[in-house]
């Protein structure tokens, strides 16, 4: 009788232990990042503020610069969208009536070039915002700019 009670007690402890282990495992899995989704990188403005270690006054100036830059880029992107729509509507015309294609592609390229000029000027302004002791951090930032502002890469195909 005593051994049966000991076996029951041991079995109860084992079941409770396994339940706790399962609970810990399930909790751990739910707290992890979803499978297949990489962690989101910080927003570019937050990343730049941290990378350059901008003080409060610099941050206020930087946020004003960002707002102006975003407005300029947004207007140019809207213009690009209009050019792209006009370009693709040329496909509805017979080939011998598609007279605007080259002009539209040239306009598209000029707008894209304008975006790069705006970006370059924006980062030059940020460089001017930096104090001498922050210039080394800015140099490190320059190495990451292309990656930071590139469109996200699709996951590799299997």
């Amino acid at each position: 009788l005593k051994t049966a009670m000991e076996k029951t007690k041991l079995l109860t402890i084992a079941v409770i232990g396994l339940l706790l282990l399962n609970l810990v495992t399930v909790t751990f899995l739910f707290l992890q990042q979803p499978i297949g989704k990489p962690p989101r990188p910080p927003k570019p403005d937050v990343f730049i503020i941290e990378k350059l270690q901008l003080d409060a006054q610099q941050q206020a100036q930087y946020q004003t610069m960002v707002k102006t830059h975003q407005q300029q880029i947004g207007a140019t992107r809207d213009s690009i969208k209009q050019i792209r729509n006009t370009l693709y509507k040329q496909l509805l015309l017979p080939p011998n009536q598609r007279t605007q294609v080259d002009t539209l592609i040239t306009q598209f390229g000029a707008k894209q070039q304008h975006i790069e000029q705006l970006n370059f000027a924006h980062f030059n302004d940020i460089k001017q915002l930096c104090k001498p002791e922050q210039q080394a951090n800015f140099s490190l930032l320059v190495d990451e700019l292309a990656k930071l502002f590139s469109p996200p890469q699709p996951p590799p195909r299997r």
Side-chain angles (χ1 to χ4, degrees):
L1 185 68
K2 191 173 185 181
T3 57
M5 284 180 41
E6 288 176 6
K7 286 182 182 180
T8 304
K9 187 176 181 180
L10 182 62
L11 185 60
T12 303
I13 291 172
V15 168
I16 290 172
L18 288 173
L19 285 172
L20 288 174
L21 185 61
N22 281 340
L23 183 63
V24 168
T25 303
V26 169
T27 303
F28 178 76
L29 289 174
F30 277 112
L31 293 178
Q32 294 297 309
Q33 282 286 60
I35 296 173
K37 290 187 179 182
R40 296 183 89 172
K43 292 175 64 177
D45 56 339
V46 172
F47 176 79
I48 290 171
I49 287 170
E50 290 174 358
K51 189 79 167 178
L52 298 178
Q53 299 173 356
L54 300 179
D55 63 31
Q57 182 182 357
Q58 287 174 309
Q59 287 182 36
Q61 290 175 296
Y62 171 70
Q63 292 298 344
T64 300
M65 292 166 48
V66 166
K67 189 174 185 178
T68 301
H69 179 68
Q70 287 174 340
Q71 289 170 345
Q72 293 170 333
I73 293 293
T76 306
R77 286 193 174 138
D78 289 345
S79 181
I80 286 174
K81 191 183 299 183
Q82 291 173 349
I83 293 169
R84 184 179 287 125
N85 287 338
T86 304
L87 173 65
Y88 288 123
K89 285 182 181 179
Q90 294 288 301
L91 292 168
L92 300 174
L93 300 173
N96 62 348
Q97 292 181 13
R98 295 178 188 167
T99 57
Q100 292 184 303
V101 172
D102 290 338
T103 302
L104 291 167
I105 290 172
T106 301
Q107 289 174 357
F108 183 87
K111 292 295 181 181
Q112 201 61 46
Q113 181 179 4
H114 183 65
I115 284 178
E116 294 306 322
Q117 290 168 336
L118 288 171
N119 287 338
F120 187 85
H122 177 65
F123 284 104
N124 193 52
D125 291 344
I126 293 171
K127 181 180 181 182
Q128 302 308 311
L129 180 66
C130 292
K131 297 174 183 175
E133 61 271 15
Q134 294 168 320
Q135 292 296 323
N137 292 343
F138 184 83
S139 294
L140 294 172
L141 175 66
V142 167
D143 293 335
E144 300 180 48
L145 287 179
K147 183 174 68 175
L148 186 64
F149 290 98
S150 295
Q153 297 297 317
R157 292 185 177 203
R158 297 177 190 193

